[in-house]
Amino acid sequence: TADGWLMRSIRARLLILAAVWLTAALLGAFLFLSALLEDFITDRFDAESGALADALIASVQITDSGRVEVADPPADPRLMLPLSGWYWQAEADGLAVSRSPSLLDGRLSGPSGDFTGGHGTGADGALLRVLRREFTIPDSDALIAVTVTAPRQQIEESLRQIRQPLALALVILGLGLALASLVQVTTGLRSLDRLGSDLRRVRAGKAERLTRPDVSELQPLTAEIDAALDQNIALVTRSRQH
C-alpha cells in the first residue's frame, strides 16, 4: 500500500519530517510576528490617542464662573467627522462638559480611573479602543477626566494590510525551503542509489568489487560488503579445488 511504501522509504520519511518541521516553524513564525505587529500597531494608535489626550489636558481651564471647559480642542479632521470612531470627551465630576463634533449628541461612558487600551462601543455600534486620563487642576476641586477613543476597525484593517504580505512572504519562503529540502534529500541519498547500482553490477558479473563511496558514512558498509564478496569468492575457489 501507499502508507506501507511511505514507512519503508527513507526518502519519504525525510521529506515528511522536513514538511512537518517547516509547517510548524513557519506557522509559529507567523503567529509570533503577527503578535509583535499587533502590539506595534495598537501602540501606535494608543500613542496617537495619548497625544490627543495630552492636548486636551493642556487646553482645560476654569472660567470665571467656575465652569470647566476645553478652551482650544485639537483640530484633528478625524475628530470633526461624524461617527468616525475618533472621539474625545471631557468630564468634570462625572458630568460631560465638552465633546468632539464627531461624537454628535452621543456620550462616552465607561469605568473610571486611568487606563489605556480599554474596549468600548460607539453610538453606531462600532468597537472602540479607549484611553482615559483623570486629573485635577489648581483652583478647582473638580475631578476632571479626558476620554479619547480610536476605531477598532482601523486597527484591524492596518493589521490585515500587514498580515497578508507577511503570510505571502512566509509561503514563498516555505516553498523555497521545501525545494531545498527535496534537493538535499535527493543529493544525500544519491550515494545509496549508486551503491545499489554497484551491487547489481557485481551480481551480474560485471564487477568483482564495489566502487569506494565518496561519503564516509557508507565506506564501512562498502568495506564489509567487499569483505563478504572476497570471502564468498574464496569459498567458491576452495569448493572448486576440492
Side-chain angles (χ1 to χ4, degrees), residues 129-239:
R129 187 170 178 86
V130 184
L131 177 145
R132 180 182 171 91
R133 296 285 184 267
E134 291 186 351
F135 62 99
T136 58
I137 58 176
D139 302 328
S140 175
D141 296 330
L143 177 62
I144 304 172
V146 167
T147 303
V148 179
T149 69
R152 287 289 309 177
Q153 182 180 0
Q154 289 189 12
I155 299 176
E156 296 297 332
E157 182 63 27
S158 298
L159 288 173
R160 191 180 303 111
Q161 291 177 357
I162 294 178
R163 282 171 175 164
Q164 288 178 349
L166 173 62
L168 179 60
L170 289 178
V171 168
I172 294 175
L173 175 62
L175 293 176
L177 292 175
L179 180 60
S181 298
L182 178 61
V183 172
Q184 182 180 11
V185 171
T186 302
T187 303
L189 295 179
R190 187 172 298 167
S191 296
L192 283 177
D193 296 335
R194 188 180 299 114
L195 178 60
S197 178
D198 290 343
L199 283 173
R200 287 190 293 272
R201 292 179 69 250
V202 170
R203 188 177 62 179
K206 297 179 181 180
E208 294 184 355
R209 299 178 66 84
L210 299 177
T211 303
R212 182 179 178 84
D214 54 357
V215 292
S216 59
E217 288 81 2
L218 292 180
Q219 290 176 2
L221 175 61
T222 303
E224 290 295 330
I225 293 176
D226 282 339
L229 291 173
D230 292 339
Q231 184 179 14
N232 184 62
I233 292 174
L235 289 175
V236 171
T237 301
R238 283 200 299 269
S239 296

Side-chain angles (χ1 to χ4, degrees), residues 113-135:
D114 285 13
F115 57 85
T116 301
H119 299 283
T121 305
D124 57 349
L127 297 179
L128 304 174
R129 187 170 178 86
V130 184
L131 177 145
R132 180 182 171 91
R133 296 285 184 267
E134 291 186 351
F135 62 99

